[in-house]
Amino acid sequence: MTEMAKAIGMVELTTVSAGFTAADEMAKAADVEILQAEVTCPGKFVVLVTGELSAVRASVDRAESKFADKVIDTFVLGNPHEAIFPAIYGTAQPEKIDALGILETYDVAALIVAADMAAKTAQVALIELRLAKGMCGKSYMTLTGSVSAVQAAIERAKDEAGDKGMFLDSSVIARPSDKLLTYIL
């Protein structure tokens, strides 16, 4: 029997108390590991879980059904791109920056899904996913690659976030200034 691919899922909620309770319900609903359960700006709560795809789906479904009036957004990704976690945790180390892509969303869940799609669309390296902290609930990602790859990835990510109405803004900078790069890396 082959091992099923890992999946990740997220529920983003409007209140802290609903967030802690949802995290507990998610852990009890299925065999998942809680990767993140924390407050983000402005007092929202994000729960990120991993496990087998069916377990992650059951976990997210439980939170969506029990806390429907408090849910901002959710996702379940089977087989997420391996660059997602280093970008979330700030450990990504791109070798060089040819072009810089930036995409901003109104929420956390939409950004992670958009970043996954961007990384799977073109030959790009995710640099950072800044998830709502210090941004009044908004989130953004940065990525790099050739100009054409970055443009393709940003367009795909923009479409993905836009489908949920969460896209805010994006840019592609060809050959960013070394003076700017000190703030990116």
Side-chain angles (χ1 to χ4, degrees), residues 85-96:
F85 291 105
I88 288 173
Y89 298 120
T91 60
Q93 300 287 324
E95 292 179 22
K96 65 178 186 166

Side-chain angles (χ1 to χ4, degrees), residues 63-140:
E64 279 186 299
S65 67
K66 287 196 89 162
F67 302 93
D69 62 329
K70 303 276 194 253
V71 170
I72 297 168
D73 200 359
T74 68
F75 72 78
V76 172
L77 288 175
N79 197 22
H81 194 279
E82 66 273 0
I84 292 288
F85 291 105
I88 288 173
Y89 298 120
T91 60
Q93 300 287 324
E95 292 179 22
K96 65 178 186 166
I97 308 272
D98 290 328
L100 179 66
I102 308 102
L103 183 122
E104 188 174 354
T105 65
Y106 287 108
D107 77 340
V108 174
L111 184 81
I112 293 174
V113 173
D116 183 62
M117 294 307 297
K120 290 176 177 174
T121 295
Q123 197 72 15
V124 295
L126 297 175
I127 300 169
E128 181 180 14
L129 302 184
R130 180 70 57 94
L131 304 177
K133 293 182 181 177
M135 295 186 54
C136 294
K138 297 187 301 182
S139 296
Y140 75 88

